[in-house]
Amino acid sequence: GGRVELVGRNATISVASPDDPLYPLQWNLSAVDAEGGWSRVPDARGVSVAILDTGVAYEDYHHGRDRFAQAPDLTGTPFVPGFDFVDGDEHPNDEHGHGTHVAGIIAETTNNGMGTAGLAIGAAIMPLRILDASGIGTEAEVLDALDTAVANGAEVINLSFVFGADYVPSRALEEAVARALDSGATIVAAAGNDGAEVVRYPAAMQGVLAVGASTLTPAGGFVRADYSNSGTDLDLLAPGGDLTQDANGDGIADGVLAQTFYPADPLTFG
């Protein structure tokens, strides 16, 4: 028979929930079993995520009439150098709000008793500003930003924007995407939010992970949100929410909570 070395109580082990006060309202994290993931990979330190977007509220920066402030719940989030391809400088601050929101979803400072939790705890954000204060940019800025992300060692490249419905990828964009994929980076892109049965570019490009949006159902399940694009190029759904409903009855609309700011006042965070 076997030999018993030690007898003791078989204690139950559980993953500690973050102490961020709005964490209980983050249905998007429970939808992807964030705590189960954290139990296997407690943090994402050492991973850099390039965010090609409107910039990120990542620094306190005053220059002339420009006044920018770091988002309060990003103060403990690591940042690596990025670039502003709109203004052509090394300060890719956000003048819109979208890029900051994306950064918060990915890696908002977690377990700091403030705001919400991020999914990839400890991941470093590389802000690459390609969209102006109106959320508009050009293909040329995308090309430059993709190559910069690769040159600066980004492991993940996030593209939460779409080209117009009539856009056909240029050879230059195909080559820039290929270079990024050849570097080993994972490229994640939004499928589009106009409810069309076609995935927009750049998400529809070969090798790019095309992500649509899911939302809650009153029964506690998840379905593709009505506004989310679909089609044969769609790879997966991730929580996007629906601000027109409160399916889980928590008293707030089923959006995805994360740090951002009100566009009318870049220094007012919510």
Side-chain angles (χ1 to χ4, degrees):
R3 179 179 175 184
V4 177
E5 294 285 351
L6 179 67
V7 176
R9 185 172 65 89
N10 188 18
T12 300
I13 301 173
S14 62
V15 178
S17 297
D19 66 5
D20 307 81
L22 297 179
Y23 175 68
L25 299 176
Q26 291 185 272
W27 64 269
N28 56 300
L29 293 184
S30 61
V32 299
D33 188 22
E35 291 192 5
W38 295 331
S39 70
R40 295 186 294 273
V41 183
D43 61 62
R45 283 180 291 185
V47 175
S48 63
V49 181
I51 298 180
L52 280 63
D53 213 290
T54 61
V56 177
Y58 76 103
E59 66 170 349
D60 293 319
Y61 176 62
H62 296 174
H63 178 71
R65 297 179 61 183
D66 293 331
R67 294 289 186 271
F68 296 100
Q70 185 177 52
D73 207 14
L74 293 178
T75 56
T77 298
F79 286 90
V80 295
F83 195 78
D84 186 333
F85 295 95
V86 177
D87 291 337
D89 60 40
E90 297 179 351
H91 298 277
N93 290 289
D94 193 353
E95 298 180 19
H96 179 279
H98 186 266
T100 301
H101 188 239
V102 171
I105 294 171
I106 295 171
E108 191 151 334
T109 307
T110 302
N111 220 32
N112 65 337
M114 177 190 298
T116 59
L119 180 59
I121 300 172
I125 298 297
M126 182 190 302
L128 298 173
R129 183 176 180 236
I130 61 167
L131 304 173
D132 64 17
S134 299
I136 304 299
T138 69
E139 184 186 77
E141 291 158 341
V142 176
L143 298 176
D144 289 340
L146 282 170
D147 284 338
T148 297
V150 172
N152 290 355
E155 285 90 355
V156 179
I157 300 174
N158 187 85
L159 313 176
S160 291
F161 62 87
V162 296
F163 287 107
D166 59 349
Y167 175 78
V168 177
S170 66
R171 181 174 178 179
L173 182 61
E174 290 175 343
E175 291 176 347
V177 167
R179 286 193 295 272
L181 293 171
D182 287 345
S183 76
T186 298
I187 305 178
V188 183
N193 290 338
D194 52 344
E197 294 184 4
V198 60
V199 173
R200 301 295 184 207
Y201 290 106
M205 299 185 72
Q206 186 174 3
V208 175
L209 192 63
V211 183
S214 63
T215 193
L216 291 160
T217 68
F222 305 95
V223 294
R224 180 173 60 86
D226 289 341
Y227 61 80
S228 180
N229 288 21
S230 59
T232 56
D233 291 315
L234 186 67
D235 293 307
L236 57 87
L237 296 176
D242 185 344
L243 292 174
T244 68
Q245 67 176 32
D246 179 15
N248 61 0
D250 63 1
I252 63 171
D254 295 334
V256 175
L257 291 174
Q259 180 80 86
T260 190
F261 60 82
Y262 301 102
D265 180 0
L267 300 183
T268 303
F269 291 91

